[in-house]
Amino acid sequence: MAKKFELNEIEVWDGNMAAAQALRQADVDIVAAYPITPSTPIVQNYSKFLADGYVDGEFIMVESEHSAMSGCVAASAAGVRAATATSSQGFALMVEVLYQASGMRLPIVLTVVNRALAAPLNVNGDHSDMYLGRDAGWINLCSYNPQEAYDLTLMAFRIGEDLRVRLPVMVHQDGFLCSHTAQNVRPLQDEEAREFVGEFKAVNSMLDVSDPVTHGVQTEEDWHFEHKARQHHDMMSSFDVIREVFGEFKERTGREYDLVYTYKMDDADVAIVALGTTVESARVAADQMREKGVKAGVVSFRVLRPFPFNEIVDALGDVKAIAAMDRSAPGGTFGMLFNELGAALMAKGKRPILLNYIYGLGGRDTTINMLREVYEQLNECAQAGEAKYPLQQFIGLRGPKLSFY
Amino acid sequence: MVKKIKNLKEFSLSNDRFEGANLMCPGCSHNIIVREVLNATNDPVIVATATGCLEVCTAVYPKTSWDVSWIHIGFENAAVAAATVSAAYEVMKRKGKLPPATQKMVDEGREPKIVAFAGDGGTYDIGFQSLSGAFERGHNFMYVCLDNEVYANTGGQRSSSTPIGASTTTSPAGSVSYGEKMQKKSMVEIMADHGAPYVAQVSPSKWKDLVKKVQKGFEVYGPVYINAQSACTTEWKHAPEDTIEVSDLGVESCVWPLYEIINERDEHGIIYSTKLNITYRPKKKIPVEEYLAAQPRFRHLFKPENRHIIDLWQKAVDARWEYLQRREEAGV
Amino acid sequence: MAKDMKHIDIEEIQKLGWDELIPGAALFSFREPVEDVVEVPMEERPYAPTNSHEWQVGDWRVEKPVYNRDLCIDCQFCWVFCPDMSILSRDKKMIGVIYEHCKGCGICVEVCPTNPKSLLMFPEHMDNDEALKRWPQKEEKKKD
Ligand SMILES: Cc1ncc(C[n+]2csc(CCOP(=O)(O)OP(=O)(O)O)c2C)c(N)n1
Ligand code: SF4
Ligand code: SF4
Ligand code: SF4
Ligand SMILES: [Mg+2]
């Protein structure tokens, strides 16, 4: 049995400590992991908890992220709770196995501390890794601060392991801005967290030698489509479970989570849609704009996959101008948020002005002033009733202005 | 618990846990090896398999050929898969949370044996990192390489196990090429140098030697590596009925020497002794040429312009056999 | 709802729609738990329909091995080297060939040590009784 970790009502934790504490309280049986900035402290903290007797599990420091995720897949198929953490290049190396984990329907939890992808090599935050894995069949939860990183990591186990879901779950937090920024966090006490997460429910465990099971089969054109359809269906149906878990968490903690996060959207004319810590900066910018009489709001995805189609359109449907702010190099098209929001709005007959801003790559600072400038542009567009600016702009960039369309 | 197998008749009392109507080629050695390994124990077995012939032919939806729990994740991760299943088993055992049927076995002294099967591609090449890591970490499992010296499943490309002179689809023999240019990598020594307690080379044709080694491997705690010769009728291009004959030629010519390396550690984990034992000595070492002649993948070597490769082969095999004997004599 | 793939038949399995599949494409070996599988011979195992044991590959063959009990010395070479678990042995005795699973590789014939052999390949369509009638005589050992 693990020792109880005495926690204060309010702890000062950075996002990495918050995630590590959630993994500890979830009684993860196997953590197979490999270090990479900025997520390294999660596994370091976890191994320290283990060394001090605060967890009763196994930490396997493997030789690569590919093996880290492979180890989690094997452990989960063996019928035990498995989790890991990574960032950036490590995430990229895991990608093959991310698809195997979701296809095999194993409820692994992966805490991703978002960081740019090389080349050029860069250790700082952007969302390239998140975007790389968004179609890997994992549930994607997004946090904006350490408290949320903690809360969502605990909830990730509940959601993924629910028998109606059985899918792996990623919890994202921004590299450095969240992972290394100490803030007040109100944790659950160990017993309460354990009770909330519950015992791991093994499904088709390989360790039951009386009921042999085959995991990771070959399917060809006669079966693959049906399995992928089933997987997609179950992902699309997981909204109910996600809402249930969010609801129960609110009852316990008073902290409320929704599929889509909104700030001052009731009467908003202009809105920024962004992910990660930018949400918090955008809130400040929105407040300042409101002081100037601009009805500004902020929208974000709490759940990026499954894609909350109805909720995102409900949140944005009456807005006149929207900034889809993508913090990932778009690689020859618009940013993911622009494309996905555009499709969702159009499909529901909404035609707000939609602009794409590429920002903050490789950890480039995103100031409140920059976000205010985005609102100013949106406001101009809203008043004119047409896009007064190029559809895609790079902001915060040195050199001549870069924009398209 | 060690299964008593005095002779072949006794071995034939085994009830297979690997099933027919799988999709492996007629005459495939992989199957023979898997049978011999699984039948070497009566303890429960849990298997991880790398992508490759064995995987794509024994778990094709909606049917499985395994009567033991089995997992395939990818091509390069069979070692970490088996190693982590082993770790998961140990955690659950420690926590007293094993499924009841498994706990019962453990109480009877019949702990599950965790075995990884992978091809030479999945072992010598793409899976090497995961294998090396799992061995260095010392997990308790057995890794069996089904060494057919080629990427068979994808149509016969060379691997770092392909021997010199073999014609493969990516090292084809041609008017200006005798085929594969590199000598085969020595996996057995490489794995022994990881400090694994037990490492051995086997051939399915010498079933008793194989079974004994697998049993020894199951008895030690820690990672065990078994390099199994696996004649491939499709890529070595011999007739299916000749699988055992070709395997025997490999053993009798010392192309495929049968030996084991035992690393013994003291209570601090320090290796105090490394011993290499040759476990089979051909009565009369036959010329390598006979082994090569039995396999059309080497047919072009018999052209006058390529004969020097056959001489080179013989030299290399002799040198290696010498080396093994010297190590055995020296007790290192 | 996922169908209970342990308890439906092979024809039904082949028609399953996406909604009836077991998440993660897991397959089962047996219909019900088998406490100690090594103690249970294949005739007595509760194979699930998803176990390849329940399927056939006999139609891969052009030639089949025919077994001649009269010559057999029960050495079990054929049993140990058959790649496809298709030699049925019980109580240290060779009993016969499992034709549903035999792929006709001919290994069993090659390794059979008796003279004449106790296993021989015959055309697939030939009756086994007919094959036994055509069994060759003892072959003189060639001197070299
Ligand atoms: C990451 C990755 N790269 C390549 C492949 C393609 N691939 C599948 S099996 C295989 C060859 C397997 O060769 P080997 O490991 O020797 O096994 P064999 O089929 O010979 O038994 C290859 C190249 C793959 N499945 N995954
Ligand atoms: S190609 Fe070779 S290894 Fe693969 S199934 Fe056929 S005989 Fe076996
Ligand atoms: S190999 Fe021949 S003699 Fe030996 S058991 Fe089989 S049939 Fe009988
Ligand atoms: S022909 Fe091959 S598959 Fe058939 S019984 Fe003989 S060895 Fe087995
Ligand atoms: Mg191979």
Side-chain angles (χ1 to χ4, degrees), chain A residues 197-211:
Chain A
V197 173
E199 281 264 310
F200 185 76
K201 295 175 281 294
V203 173
N204 303 327
S205 161
M206 290 174 66
L207 292 184
D208 184 352
V209 299
S210 68
D211 193 6

Side-chain angles (χ1 to χ4, degrees), chain B residues 8-28 31-32 35-36 39 41-42 60-68 104-105 110 204-207 240-244, chain C residues 5 13 21 25-30 35-41 45 47 50-53 55-57 60 73-77 79-85 89-92 101 103 105-107 110-111:
Chain B
L8 189 48
K9 285 191 181 213
E10 239 177 63
F11 195 37
S12 75
L13 295 173
S14 309
N15 287 314
D16 281 291
R17 285 173 284 183
F18 180 55
E19 291 291 347
N22 57 59
L23 306 181
M24 305 293 280
C25 297
C28 176
N31 278 12
I32 307 175
R35 283 191 69 205
E36 290 178 357
N39 286 334
T41 181
N42 274 341
V60 185
Y61 205 83
K63 45 189 196 277
T64 177
S65 302
W66 299 90
D67 297 340
V68 297
K104 187 161 174 266
M105 287 285 182
R110 294 168 66 192
S205 69
K206 296 284 181 263
W207 71 269
E241 67 265 29
D242 291 338
T243 293
I244 296 299
Chain C
M5 282 179 69
I13 284 180
L21 298 181
L27 290 173
F28 305 103
S29 313
F30 303 123
E35 205 173 286
D36 194 0
V37 58
V38 293
E39 294 297 325
V40 189
R45 290 181 186 173
Y47 286 118
T50 48
N51 193 308
S52 73
H53 186 93
W55 301 60
Q56 307 200 2
V57 287
W60 291 19
I73 55 169
D74 291 313
C75 67
Q76 303 301 336
F77 285 167
W79 176 83
V80 75
F81 294 129
C82 171
D84 286 289
M85 290 62 69
S89 282
R90 287 291 171 264
D91 301 326
K92 306 185 183 175
H101 296 165
K103 294 172 185 160
C105 68
I107 288 180
E110 277 309 301
V111 299

